[in-house]
Every structure is written in C-alpha cells, then in structure tokens.
Amino acid sequence: MEFEKSVANEIFPALLDSVFHDTRLSPPPPPPPNSEWNDSTAVKWDESKLIAEYEKRKAELEKDTTKLVIAIVDSTYQINERAKKGLIDFYKDFAIELDTANIEQSYKINLSELKHAEKFKLKYRSEFPSTSKIWKGNYDFHLAGITGFSRIQFDRTKSYGVMISGFGCGSLCGFSALVFIRKEKEKWIIDKIMVTGIS
C-alpha cells in the first residue's frame, strides 16, 4: 500500500491539473456557421469579439492570486471491474497481466502529502455539507470543485496502472473518468483520461 500511496501522491498534481475546470471562465465561443449555408434565416455573427473577451478573461484569471479551494473526497474509492478490464484493453499491445494484490479496502487520503499548484488549497469533502448544498454555501473563499480518486489497479510489473477519478463543479456539472498511468524513466505520467460519465 505504501508504494501505491507514493504513486498516487506523485501523479496527483498532474491529475488535478488535468481534471480541473475553472467555472469562472465560460467555454470559448463556437465557430461561425458553415459559410456554404445560404439559408436567409441562418444566424451570422462575428466571433472575433467573443474570442477577444474570452482571452481577456482567461488572462485575468491566470493572474488572479485568489486561492481556489478543492474539496477532496476523504478516502479512496473502490476500483471496479470496468477499470480493471480497461487497463488490460488500453495496454493490450503490451499483453499485461493484472497485479492480484487486494485493493478492495479504501484508505484515508492524507492532504498534507498531496502536492498541487500554488493556486489551489485542499480541504476534505467532509468539511462541507454532504448534499448538493455544498454549492450553496456562503464561504469566505471560492469553492472551485470536488475531486477524489480510487485505489490504483497495477499490472504485475507495476509499470502500468488505472485509477478512477473525476471532477465536480456544481450540482449538475462534472464528470468521472478512468485515468491510465504508466511509468516512464522512473516517473509516473498520465497516458490518457477516458471520460466514462458526464453531467
């Protein structure tokens, strides 16, 4: 378990950076309608102003020193059969075999061991209301989202792995995913985040 915890702690900064979505920044504007449309009712617009406003807001947020609080689910999730099968399928070219170590039992995540970007501050999920009321709280900080992660299913050589994670940014805003990781030059990296559910 200590090896697994060290891998989870090592991969966490990249994981948080990958799943994080800043809801203060609206998505970029869509492209204009197809120029081949000749329907007189077709909507036409100049997206350059929208893009300029998007880029301006993005630059403002990048300079913003406000701490973004991320609620971390207190303990790891259980890994499931879908994730185990996903690990074998994703790395099928390497014909990996699953490590048979028991990873059914969850463990409490130690926030002090999780490294992260300076802009984030981590708090346990249990410090907030247990329902969707979490998003209606009157906090003296910006609650930027909720995340967590599962136990890691490794292959026998402990060179490849999969975990379950995701990100919640509102009562009907978030996703869950399989996170495929591998060891490269003695460092753990994220190969792919495969979204499995979204709201």
Side-chain angles (χ1 to χ4, degrees):
M1 182 166 302
E2 290 309 309
F3 169 76
E4 180 185 338
K5 286 181 180 179
S6 71
V7 173
N9 294 342
E10 181 182 340
I11 207 78
F12 182 76
L15 176 63
L16 182 54
D17 189 55
S18 297
V19 300
F20 173 70
H21 168 67
D22 194 338
T23 56
R24 299 174 301 168
L25 182 65
S26 299
N34 189 323
S35 60
E36 295 177 2
W37 290 359
N38 56 13
D39 184 346
S40 61
T41 62
V43 177
K44 296 176 183 174
W45 70 85
D46 178 5
E47 78 280 9
S48 58
K49 183 179 177 184
L50 296 172
I51 290 173
E53 289 173 358
Y54 170 81
E55 293 298 335
K56 179 183 175 187
R57 180 64 175 148
K58 186 176 178 184
E60 289 172 354
L61 290 176
E62 286 172 355
K63 292 176 184 175
D64 188 354
T65 57
T66 302
K67 290 283 187 185
L68 304 177
V69 171
I70 304 292
I72 305 291
V73 177
D74 298 38
S75 298
T76 54
Y77 314 138
Q78 283 191 332
I79 201 79
N80 57 33
E81 292 303 315
R82 180 180 188 178
K84 293 177 182 181
K85 183 177 185 311
L87 179 63
I88 292 171
D89 291 345
F90 188 76
Y91 293 111
K92 62 185 175 188
D93 292 345
F94 301 96
I96 66 168
E97 294 181 26
L98 298 182
D99 183 3
T100 57
N102 182 1
I103 56 171
E104 298 303 316
Q105 185 177 359
S106 64
Y107 65 83
K108 178 151 186 181
I109 296 168
N110 186 340
L111 295 187
S112 66
E113 294 178 352
L114 296 181
K115 295 178 183 175
H116 51 84
E118 186 63 28
K119 66 183 177 182
F120 297 120
K121 181 175 181 181
L122 308 181
K123 287 181 174 285
Y124 282 118
R125 174 66 179 87
S126 60
E127 296 177 37
F128 297 93
S130 60
T131 64
S132 61
K133 290 180 182 176
I134 185 173
W135 303 111
K136 298 174 183 173
N138 188 16
Y139 311 117
D140 59 355
F141 52 81
H142 178 68
L143 177 61
I146 303 171
T147 191
F149 52 87
S150 72
R151 297 289 305 269
I152 303 173
Q153 173 66 62
F154 291 103
D155 75 310
R156 283 187 187 274
T157 68
K158 290 189 169 56
S159 302
Y160 303 92
V162 65
M163 60 201 303
I164 301 167
S165 187
F167 192 78
C169 47
S171 57
L172 289 173
C173 171
F175 73 94
S176 59
L178 298 180
V179 182
F180 298 99
I181 62 175
R182 68 182 162 87
K183 196 170 188 179
E184 184 177 89
K185 297 179 181 176
E186 301 307 308
K187 290 186 178 180
W188 285 91
I189 63 168
I190 295 174
D191 246 347
K192 184 172 184 177
I193 295 180
M194 184 182 295
V195 174
T196 55
I198 193 165
S199 68

